Amino acid sequence: MSMRTFRTAVVRSPGGPDSIEIIAVPVADPGPGEVRVAIAAAPVNPVDLAVADGLFHATNLIDQPEHTGLGWGFAGTVAAGGTGVDLAVGARVAGLVDGFDRDFGTYAEQLVVPAADLAVVPDGLDLVSASTVPLNGLVAAQIIDLLGDPPAHGNRVLVTGAAGAVGGYVASLAHDHGWEVTGLARAEDEEFVRGIGAGFTTHAEPGWDAVADAAVLHEQGLALVRDGGVFVGVQPGAEPAAERGITVVAVVVHPDGPRLSDLLTRTASGRLPARVHAVVPLDQVAEAHRAVAKGGVRGRYILKP
Ligand SMILES: NC(=O)c1ccc[n+]([C@@H]2O[C@H](COP(=O)([O-])OP(=O)(O)OC[C@H]3O[C@@H](n4cnc5c(N)ncnc54)[C@H](OP(=O)(O)O)[C@@H]3O)[C@@H](O)[C@H]2O)c1
């Protein structure tokens, strides 16, 4: 009997884009409550560049003896369901796998995940667009949880990196929670930032009630928060030290099927942006990583296995 395998991109000895290898690994069957998804699209995100560079191996967050999987978000179709799963084979779904220390990822032909982490992709939203939502949509929603409700005496939030994936979602969603949003972005991003309903600046002065730091400005971002305000960072463990009575927190994204479902509905109706820069075959993963590393790319590179 021949072993069934599928192709997946991993790093064995991390060292940048050229260290990414495509290997064949055995197919796994879904257990109770799990689903095997045939992946149609998986976006390249900044975290994947950091994993391939070995950043998290160096800090011992990754300790995989054989190889480390790449990719967090995905969209595809249900290939098989375990017991207790009510998703039909062929259903269009999107989802997120989190955590750094894993030997599998979404840069793959298939993936076994808990059904609870999946959301059905609404009709009218293509799988490539849907794949851009799970990581950065969920982290933005979770950043807004950390921002909390705006205090009575001040609701001005500055979103740094508002033209990026995380910042764009935070700037879109924070408004619904009572925040008055201004996006800090490059001059050429003004149209996009204003288009999602936020104010725009290329240079912020201090005094904001809250800063959501999607551009990872760290201390420079913290300096923009008023005394007693809130700072939400995106790199846990690397957030700046608290000062001046400021609440400093950092987000750690986690899967959430029901919430992803809401984000996908908003994307399908055009209330949230879905930005795709290019769709490339999985074999071109190294080129895609190199292009993203240069910076300035708006919208995601999407890998198609
Ligand atoms: N903690 C978590 O769970 C979690 C989850 C998801 C993402 N993240 C992190 O969140 C960060 C953002 O991710 P992303 O996908 O949104 O990245 P992205 O799409 O590359 O967006 C970052 C944006 O910030 C802009 N930027 C950088 N420095 C700036 C400055 N000084 N002024 C104005 N704009 C500036 C960039 O512009 P240029 O391209 O022109 O430089 C880009 O538009 C990454 O570090 C990612 O790893 C964390």
Side-chain angles (χ1 to χ4, degrees):
M1 198 180 86
S2 68
M3 187 176 64
R4 293 178 303 152
T5 62
F6 68 95
R7 297 168 75 238
T8 183
V10 300
V11 285
R12 278 190 246 255
S13 305
D18 292 322
S19 68
I20 301 172
E21 298 172 54
I22 296 179
I23 63 172
V25 295
V27 168
D29 287 320
E34 290 182 336
V35 168
R36 186 166 70 233
V37 178
I39 296 176
V44 174
N45 282 293
V47 63
D48 300 305
L49 275 62
V51 171
D53 280 344
L55 195 74
F56 305 111
H57 293 78
T59 54
N60 295 321
L61 279 172
I62 293 178
D63 181 24
Q64 287 296 325
E66 296 295 332
H67 59 252
T68 304
L70 293 165
W72 290 56
F74 63 92
T77 52
V78 172
T83 53
V85 170
D86 62 4
L87 286 163
V89 169
R92 300 182 335 126
V93 292
L96 169 74
V97 292
D98 64 342
F100 301 101
D101 197 25
R102 46 182 161 83
D103 63 3
F104 67 96
T106 67
Y107 288 12
E109 289 173 333
Q110 52 177 264
L111 183 71
V112 172
V113 280
D117 295 352
L118 297 175
V120 170
V121 176
D123 291 344
L125 184 63
D126 63 277
L127 292 178
V128 166
S129 299
S131 76
T132 64
V133 180
L135 176 63
N136 299 304
L138 283 172
V139 78
Q142 290 159 11
I143 285 171
I144 286 164
D145 292 345
L146 292 172
L147 282 174
D149 291 330
H153 52 278
N155 70 342
R156 293 173 65 242
V157 61
L158 180 73
V159 179
T160 74
V166 175
Y169 283 120
V170 174
S172 299
L173 294 169
H175 188 72
D176 290 353
H177 293 260
W179 289 96
E180 183 194 318
V181 183
T182 300
L184 173 72
R186 313 283 184 199
E188 56 272 29
D189 293 317
E190 178 165 2
E191 192 182 333
F192 170 77
V193 173
R194 292 201 188 278
I196 54 175
F200 171 80
T201 184
T202 56
H203 176 78
E205 296 296 334
W208 300 84
D209 299 304
V211 168
D213 190 26
V216 201
L217 304 182
H218 289 305
E219 281 76 10
Q220 267 181 292
L222 185 70
L224 300 173
V225 183
R226 68 160 165 80
D227 294 1
V230 180
F231 174 92
V232 182
V234 295
Q235 293 187 345
E239 58 270 48
E243 58 179 36
R244 299 181 288 112
I246 295 169
T247 303
V248 175
V249 288
V251 70
V252 180
V253 71
H254 53 84
D256 183 338
R259 206 160 199 188
L260 176 56
S261 182
D262 174 62
L263 291 161
L264 291 167
T265 302
R266 288 168 185 259
T267 309
S269 67
R271 282 173 290 159
L272 283 179
R275 289 176 296 161
V276 173
H277 175 80
V279 181
V280 301
L282 182 59
D283 291 325
Q284 288 173 26
V285 54
E287 289 91 324
H289 269 225
R290 269 192 291 272
V292 174
K294 285 186 189 143
V297 176
R298 298 293 179 261
R300 293 285 98 130
Y301 272 84
I302 309 294
L303 301 171
K304 256 187 137 35

